[in-house]
Amino acid sequence: MGIVAGLDSSPDFTRIVVCDTDTGAVLRQGYAPHPVDTPDGAARPSDVDPQAWLLSLGEAAGGGLLEGVQAIGVSAQQNALIPLDAQGNTVRPAIVGGDRRAQVAAADLIDALGGREAWAQAVGSVPQAAQPVTKLRWLAKAEPENARRTAVLLQAHDWLVWQLLGRPARRTTDRGGASGTGYWSAATGGYRPDLVELALGHQVMLPEVIGPSDAAGTTPEGLLISAGTGETMAAAFGLGLGFGDAVVSLGASGSVMAVHPEALADTSGMITSLADATGMHLPVVTTLNAVRTLRGTAELLGLSDLESLSDLAMKSTPGSHGLVMLPYLEGERTPNLPHTAGTLAGLRRESMKAEHLARAAFEGMLCGLADALDVLRGRGVEVRRIFLLGQAAELPAVQAAAPMLFGAQVVVPQPADYAAIGAARQAAWALGVSQGTVDPRTPPVWQGAAAQVLEPGEELAVGQAVRQQFMSVREQTHPGAFRA
């Protein structure tokens, strides 16, 4: 069939991989940072000119990288909102990331529709500061003139696809990207224009949601462009996730998602019901505290890096000599304790050693993520295998504790550009469908990610005891806060 490309436009850079359409083998790759000036130590800007994404795309594709490519898939950062006017020009810079400016707007929207349960039933998620629907509410309140001029709404991958196609009259998106907006329901597969009007104050044009194997169009040069999707969905597709697979992602905060055949409406708001890039669903549960727990503990112990913290933790034993850390340093979403703080329990003379505190930090972080897994399991989501992502997944202390605490096989994939690979796989799917060689309902089978596989084995009972110790402290400290 030839070669295809996957383009991932993350918050900071563009990565491009060129892959063999039959096997998925990466043949060439390119990289370029976005030309966005962020001083060292400064927060990433909340407003970004989307032209910066095009500039880095052009740089990453330099040197003939795309020569011979027949189709391109686009993955991009989620929650970036690009408001356009009636002529297709940007009304203001894109509003990106978890914008704290929108926190009040999120609370306003929750109240305006009648509470968290009403939102969960309507679109499968409760408004958060990062979501496009919440940013619309902020725009209406903070910049009413820009809100009035807004006639079209796009997200980052929608906008990039539209630009690659030469800005046609038709604008498209996919189920995965649409499901994170807060105004599209994964359960019904339809938009809720009334929620856009509730947030922004008036109706706008929304991109057409096309199928997972559909093409968004063809460039003037004849290059096929697939539907595109958000980074989370592209990474899941690049990893080759299927039923029974979950992903635990270790960033500063943590997230747990799994492939499921249906959308989950969760009245507590703990589950965000996203769609994936294949026609299935990706329910997600988020914790606010993951690697930030480890970094805070390392600083407290005077350690310079997480590798040193891991080495120290390995000198302790499972259960940390009774020391339990509830890692709710930034408040917490799972359980919903936004205004709480972390807790250190089980202090005895024999437990007051640096290695036990280090181990308790790892166990606390992983038990918090195991709680998030239990939320999904409690709703009938099958979890047989867990992919562990993030730099911290390489730490020996994480690998030693995760299988026993999660109670399942843990797979640690080798670092790779999985979102870009997922975008390329989508491009191969759309290309094959257009040529009549691939089933539109079944994506091409690519070689799986090279990975380390860890089994709980005989440690499973030990892990259950450690989790029970954690859950007892959690319930004593925050009675009734957690309902899996």
Side-chain angles (χ1 to χ4, degrees):
M1 282 169 62
I3 57 174
V4 292
L7 182 165
D8 177 38
S9 181
S10 84
D12 298 313
F13 54 78
T14 298
R15 285 196 191 278
I16 301 175
V17 297
V18 176
C19 299
D20 180 277
T21 52
D22 294 324
T23 66
V26 177
L27 308 174
R28 305 191 289 268
Q29 46 196 318
Y31 166 87
H34 295 324
V36 176
D37 185 24
T38 305
D40 288 345
R44 185 185 288 137
S46 298
D47 294 337
V48 175
D49 183 347
Q51 291 295 329
W53 308 333
L54 279 182
L55 290 170
S56 72
L57 190 166
E59 187 179 340
L65 184 78
L66 299 180
E67 190 174 330
V69 164
Q70 296 167 277
I72 295 177
V74 177
S75 154
Q77 61 177 301
Q78 286 157 242
N79 297 321
L81 179 71
I82 302 106
L84 304 178
D85 64 17
Q87 286 71 48
N89 301 312
T90 51
V91 169
R92 66 177 317 285
I95 312 173
V96 300
D99 197 331
R100 290 185 177 274
R101 296 176 299 185
Q103 286 178 334
V104 172
D108 285 349
L109 278 178
I110 292 169
D111 290 343
L113 195 64
R116 300 170 67 87
E117 185 172 347
W119 278 97
Q121 294 290 351
V123 288
S125 64
V126 178
Q128 302 149 25
Q131 280 185 299
V133 71
T134 307
K135 289 168 178 170
L136 289 178
R137 181 70 157 203
W138 175 85
L139 188 66
K141 298 287 186 182
E143 301 177 3
E145 181 53 36
N146 284 337
R148 278 193 290 273
R149 290 177 54 216
T150 297
V152 182
L153 297 177
L154 297 179
Q155 293 187 89
H157 81 81
D158 310 337
W159 188 85
L160 285 166
V161 165
W162 183 57
Q163 295 290 331
L164 289 172
L165 291 173
R167 296 164 59 104
R170 181 192 188 214
R171 299 174 180 92
T172 62
T173 190
D174 87 307
R175 296 169 66 256
S179 66
T181 59
Y183 44 79
W184 185 88
S185 168
T188 66
Y191 280 116
R192 288 290 302 265
D194 57 314
L195 300 183
V196 174
E197 187 166 1
L198 180 70
L200 187 63
H202 62 90
Q203 295 286 344
V204 295
M205 182 180 289
L206 300 169
E208 177 189 345
V209 181
I210 61 177
S213 62
D214 291 344
T218 306
T219 69
E221 299 77 30
L223 200 61
L224 184 134
I225 307 294
S226 63
T229 195
E231 271 189 320
T232 296
M233 301 78 189
F237 198 40
L239 282 165
L241 297 191
F243 290 131
D245 289 337
V247 173
V248 172
S249 184
L250 301 176
S253 54
S255 66
V256 175
M257 65 179 180
V259 179
H260 198 58
E262 59 189 29
L264 296 178
D266 174 52
T267 55
S268 73
M270 282 198 288
I271 297 174
T272 298
S273 190
L274 299 179
D276 78 348
T278 73
M280 299 300 172
H281 296 269
L282 279 177
V284 179
V285 181
T286 304
T287 69
L288 295 183
N289 302 278
V291 176
R292 66 165 40 98
T293 305
L294 305 183
R295 295 203 184 282
T297 306
E299 288 174 17
L300 180 64
L301 293 173
L303 302 174
S304 59
D305 53 46
L306 297 185
E307 288 74 18
S308 300
L309 185 71
S310 174
D311 292 343
L312 185 60
M314 293 298 284
K315 295 176 181 176
S316 181
T317 53
S320 310
H321 274 244
L323 211 54
V324 175
M325 182 183 292
L326 301 183
Y328 306 151
L329 309 184
E330 296 281 320
E332 191 45 87
R333 280 189 59 192
T334 309
N336 186 29
L337 297 165
H339 307 299
T340 194
T343 301
L344 191 62
L347 283 169
R348 295 184 178 86
R349 180 66 190 88
E350 63 270 19
S351 66
M352 296 176 72
K353 292 183 178 179
E355 60 264 33
H356 301 324
L357 178 57
R359 176 94 189 192
F362 282 96
E363 290 179 344
M365 173 188 77
L366 293 170
C367 282
L369 289 159
D371 279 351
L373 274 167
D374 282 350
V375 172
L376 295 179
R377 285 171 167 145
R379 293 297 308 278
V381 176
E382 188 174 352
V383 177
R384 293 192 303 269
R385 182 172 63 160
I386 295 168
F387 286 77
L388 199 56
L389 303 186
Q391 285 186 325
E394 302 288 333
L395 296 173
V398 170
Q399 295 191 5
M404 69 169 86
L405 295 176
F406 293 159
Q409 183 187 83
V410 170
V411 178
V412 184
Q414 287 185 359
D417 303 318
Y418 291 111
I421 291 168
R425 189 179 176 206
Q426 187 194 65
W429 195 7
L431 179 64
V433 169
S434 75
Q435 295 172 338
T437 58
V438 175
D439 187 332
R441 297 160 299 179
T442 308
V445 177
W446 279 9
Q447 58 197 18
Q452 193 175 359
V453 178
L454 309 168
E455 301 283 357
E458 295 177 359
E459 298 284 298
L460 187 57
V462 176
Q464 288 174 333
V466 174
R467 277 216 67 203
Q468 190 57 53
Q469 180 178 269
F470 177 90
M471 291 187 285
S472 295
V473 172
R474 187 195 65 216
E475 192 58 30
Q476 289 164 11
T477 311
H478 304 290
F482 188 84
R483 292 284 180 267

